[in-house]
Amino acid sequence: GAGVSQSPSNKVTEKGKDVELRCDPISGHTALYWYRQRLGQGLEFLIYFQGNSAPDKSGLPSDRFSAERTGESVSTLTIQRTQQEDSAVYLCASSTRGGRPETQYFGPGTRLLVL
Amino acid sequence: AQSVTQPDIHITVSEGASLELRCNYSYGATPYLFWYVQSPGQGLQLLLKYFSGDTLVQGIKGFEAEFKRSQSSFNLRKPSVHWSDAAEYFCAVVGSNTGNQFYFGTGTSLTVIP
């Protein structure tokens, strides 16, 4: 079946603009994760959704970052008033049930460049 | 706090040679451990995982990893590397008290020379 998809694949924006990144998880996967991967660094956890439970937002770096998910489908990650340090690849992953230690399936990522 | 260290930023091996990528974790109890591979332009793909039981786990593409509690390590190995193995490799840990948060290492970039 189809894997995790993300759009856009690349996004160039100007400092101060808002951006919205989209993630389509694998159908039937109840858990969805967002990560940030800066150049030359590992993955940084941002936020986790599990079904209709309150999301785990503990990884969001500032209040400029927010994410939503409608039910068990699409999720959007919004970055307001983008800064140059927000430039990174944003990865989305989904898994079944969300219970540890479920395998996460990753999308190809959105490469964000803030000028 | 949980953490993962991959001491080798970059490794170069000849095709056909053996490979070992190091991963050390910090966690007080038995962790859940993963190795992912990220090929250029592609998403991360799970190679293998350790939950419990046999400390030597087999994965896809001929990879294996061994959990050594005494050394807090989960090194990835392959007896004979293929040119297509050139990629970025990430080790990750999930602890029993970290909710669903995966902690990833900074990755090891593998170059394979003919």
Side-chain angles (χ1 to χ4, degrees):
Chain A
V4 177
S5 61
Q6 293 185 245
S7 61
S9 54
N10 292 280
K11 176 71 176 179
V12 181
T13 190
E14 295 178 347
K15 178 181 174 181
K17 300 284 188 182
D18 297 351
V19 295
E20 190 172 277
L21 312 180
R22 176 187 171 106
C23 172
D24 284 273
I26 293 172
S27 178
H29 281 192
T30 58
L32 187 147
Y33 303 75
W34 282 99
Y35 294 89
R36 179 170 67 180
Q37 185 179 21
R38 288 183 164 138
L39 186 64
Q41 298 187 21
L43 277 69
E44 177 186 358
F45 168 79
L46 296 177
I47 189 169
Y48 158 73
F49 295 89
Q50 169 53 41
N52 294 318
S53 302
D56 176 355
K57 304 179 181 180
S58 60
L60 294 178
S62 76
D63 59 7
R64 295 188 296 105
F65 288 72
S66 63
E68 294 183 350
R69 188 184 187 195
T70 304
E72 297 181 354
S73 60
V74 171
S75 175
T76 56
L77 176 69
T78 301
I79 309 173
Q80 296 179 309
R81 305 181 302 283
T82 53
Q83 303 295 312
Q84 289 181 333
E85 61 263 28
D86 298 334
S87 296
V89 176
Y90 289 82
L91 293 166
C92 175
S94 70
S95 70
T96 57
R97 298 202 339 252
R100 285 172 288 114
E102 296 298 330
T103 299
Q104 297 186 17
Y105 295 85
F106 284 83
T110 293
R111 188 176 302 275
L112 175 65
L113 177 61
V114 182
L115 301 176
Chain B
Q2 292 74 30
S3 66
V4 176
T5 302
Q6 294 182 246
D8 304 306
I9 297 173
H10 185 245
I11 285 182
T12 300
V13 299
S14 298
E15 190 169 15
S18 63
L19 172 70
E20 181 169 36
L21 303 182
R22 295 183 289 166
C23 172
N24 293 94
Y25 67 89
S26 172
Y27 183 63
T30 300
Y32 304 119
L33 295 159
F34 300 76
W35 274 100
Y36 280 86
V37 59
Q38 186 177 35
S39 299
Q42 299 186 25
L44 278 79
Q45 180 183 22
L46 179 71
L47 283 176
L48 46 78
K49 58 189 176 185
Y50 171 79
F51 296 161
S52 64
D54 192 349
T55 57
L56 182 64
V57 293
Q58 302 296 320
I60 62 171
K61 303 184 180 184
F63 285 92
E64 66 177 25
E66 185 172 12
F67 170 59
K68 292 186 177 180
R69 183 189 303 276
S70 62
Q71 299 177 18
S72 296
S73 69
F74 189 56
N75 294 349
L76 182 71
R77 301 194 295 251
K78 186 170 184 177
S80 178
V81 170
H82 188 262
W83 64 267
S84 61
D85 294 325
E88 189 87 17
Y89 291 81
F90 293 93
C91 181
V93 63
V94 179
S96 61
N97 65 346
T98 59
N100 291 279
Q101 188 166 339
F102 278 57
Y103 292 86
F104 283 83
T106 53
T108 297
S109 177
L110 174 65
T111 297
V112 180
I113 55 178

